[in-house]
Amino acid sequence: YPTLRRAGNGLRTAASDGLIATPPGSPDGWRRRLGSGYPSGRVTEVNMVAARALSDLASLSGALNKTSESAGFRDASAKILEAADDHLRDIETGNLALNLDPKGRLHTEPTVDQAVALSYSGVGAKLGSSTVHRLQEKDFETGYGPRTISQTNALYYNPSYGEGQLGGCWTRGSLALAILAYASGHPAIGSALLENVSALVQSDCERMGGVPGEFPYWFDPEKRQIGSVGSDPVASSRFVEALLTGEAGLTTS
């Protein structure tokens, strides 16, 4: 608990201005493997995950009878969510943005990042549903879940660059979409995504140069080739989360 408390206090300090900011030269969230570039600034996914972490830490603190610490972490989580609602939403559509860049520009292009962000938060069914359906459209589809970036995004799309982060298919992104689909009232879509990922892990990966039983980090949809080595621990844990909270319908208590 002392280690988790220090981490929680670090998140609270990072969000002292309302939202956690990522330096311009260092993208954060799952896309951090790019090393530099985009997105940066106030990244929606980073802030949603931080809010979820602080909320979970508040619950843990409460279970340990650390009442004041629990209240502090819960308040910090609520403040991040409130700031995200104020600054990271597109006023015209109501959808979550990808990020608010260091120059104050809001980027609203759809990417898998929005599904990752929303899968960690208690999002309303309407916003979740619109994101699920957008990422199911043809320009995102790979057969195993959505691309990270749409084929129609002429500015960023390049499926083989940056370990597939600009148009490849990341397994953890597919599973984030599955979790969001369940939470948004679309269990059939969630189940279909789980089946596709299961097939990728169990059998189809061999045709793409992978190893059965491993959750690949990413693969190139055009070359039908897995571009990663080893099994992604985030994807495997989110697979279990999708099974328990989505397919089995259990809740965390």
Side-chain angles (χ1 to χ4, degrees):
Y1 179 77
T3 301
L4 293 175
R5 179 174 55 201
R6 286 194 295 272
N9 287 331
L11 289 176
R12 292 173 66 178
T13 300
S16 58
D17 292 332
L19 293 169
I20 296 172
T22 297
S26 176
D28 216 332
W30 72 269
R31 208 187 287 272
R32 64 190 178 277
R33 283 173 169 254
L34 282 174
S36 63
Y38 183 77
S40 59
R42 273 70 177 174
V43 180
T44 302
E45 182 223 330
V46 172
N47 284 277
M48 289 297 188
V49 175
R52 167 72 176 270
L54 287 165
S55 176
D56 289 347
L57 185 54
S59 298
L60 176 61
S61 301
L64 297 175
N65 295 319
K66 300 181 183 296
T67 308
S68 62
E69 292 179 4
S70 176
F73 291 132
R74 197 169 300 283
D75 182 58
S77 174
K79 286 182 177 178
I80 292 176
L81 291 175
E82 182 180 355
D85 193 54
D86 289 342
H87 302 291
L88 295 175
R89 254 186 213 277
D90 181 9
I91 296 176
E92 293 183 2
T93 65
N95 291 335
L96 278 180
L98 175 64
N99 69 312
L100 182 68
D101 73 19
K103 295 183 178 180
R105 295 173 297 197
L106 194 67
H107 295 264
T108 59
E109 56 268 30
T111 70
V112 78
D113 304 64
Q114 282 98 331
V116 175
L118 292 170
S119 71
Y120 283 106
S121 64
V123 62
K126 184 177 180 180
L127 176 56
S129 181
S130 65
T131 302
V132 168
H133 283 104
R134 178 64 185 94
L135 294 177
Q136 288 279 293
E137 293 181 10
K138 187 176 180 180
D139 56 332
F140 275 101
E141 182 54 45
T142 67
Y144 298 95
R147 299 173 185 273
T148 58
I149 291 175
S150 163
Q151 286 180 300
T152 57
N153 189 324
L155 183 60
Y156 302 118
Y157 179 72
N158 186 331
S160 61
Y161 178 76
E163 298 186 327
Q165 293 176 108
L166 299 179
C169 181
W170 273 66
T171 308
R172 64 176 69 174
S174 298
L175 291 165
L177 184 61
I179 292 169
L180 181 61
Y182 284 117
S184 305
H186 300 289
I189 294 176
S191 291
L193 285 163
L194 275 187
E195 287 185 17
N196 290 339
V197 171
S198 297
L200 176 65
V201 171
Q202 183 178 358
S203 56
D204 295 3
C205 59
E206 289 187 273
R207 296 196 298 270
M208 303 184 201
V211 178
E214 289 187 348
F215 284 78
Y217 285 87
W218 71 280
F219 68 90
D220 187 323
E222 274 65 49
K223 296 179 180 178
R224 312 305 284 181
Q225 180 179 349
I226 289 175
S228 61
V229 177
S231 189
D232 181 1
V234 174
S236 57
S237 65
R238 300 226 80 187
F239 183 80
V240 174
E241 180 184 357
L243 283 175
L244 293 178
T245 64
E247 198 67 23
L250 302 179
T251 56
T252 304
S253 63

